[in-house]
């Protein structure tokens, strides 16, 4: 249980650092595949959370 809590704590800090890479990847995908603005915002939030969870999991369990 404590491992999950620590992973979520790491994730909350990492959200700030992975917002910029998520925006850059979403920009690239929007230009390449002509994705609308509505989906752009969803992609940025999704990529930010995904990257943060992956890195936090690696920090905790890796």
């Amino acid at each position: 249980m404590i491992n999950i809590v620590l992973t979520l704590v790491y994730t909350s800090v990492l959200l700030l650092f992975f917002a910029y890479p998520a925006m850059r990847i979403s920009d690239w995908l929007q230009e390449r595949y002509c994705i609308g603005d509505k989906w752009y915002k969803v992609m940025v939030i999704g990529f930010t959370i995904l990257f943060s969870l992956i890195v936090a999991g690696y920090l905790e369990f890796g």
Side-chain angles (χ1 to χ4, degrees):
M1 182 66 182
I2 192 72
N3 289 336
I4 294 171
V5 172
L6 285 174
T7 303
L8 293 176
V9 169
Y10 292 152
T11 301
S12 65
V13 173
L14 290 171
L15 285 172
L16 298 172
F17 294 108
F18 284 104
Y20 182 73
M23 284 188 285
R24 297 295 297 164
I25 291 172
S26 296
D27 283 339
W28 179 76
L29 287 173
Q30 185 182 26
E31 290 174 4
R32 183 164 180 161
Y33 297 111
C34 299
I35 298 171
D37 288 336
K38 179 183 175 184
W39 286 107
Y40 172 78
K41 295 174 187 176
V42 173
M43 283 192 314
V44 170
I45 293 169
F47 281 138
T48 303
I49 293 171
L50 179 70
F51 294 155
S52 298
L53 281 173
I54 289 171
V55 173
Y58 178 75
L59 288 173
E60 181 62 31
F61 300 110

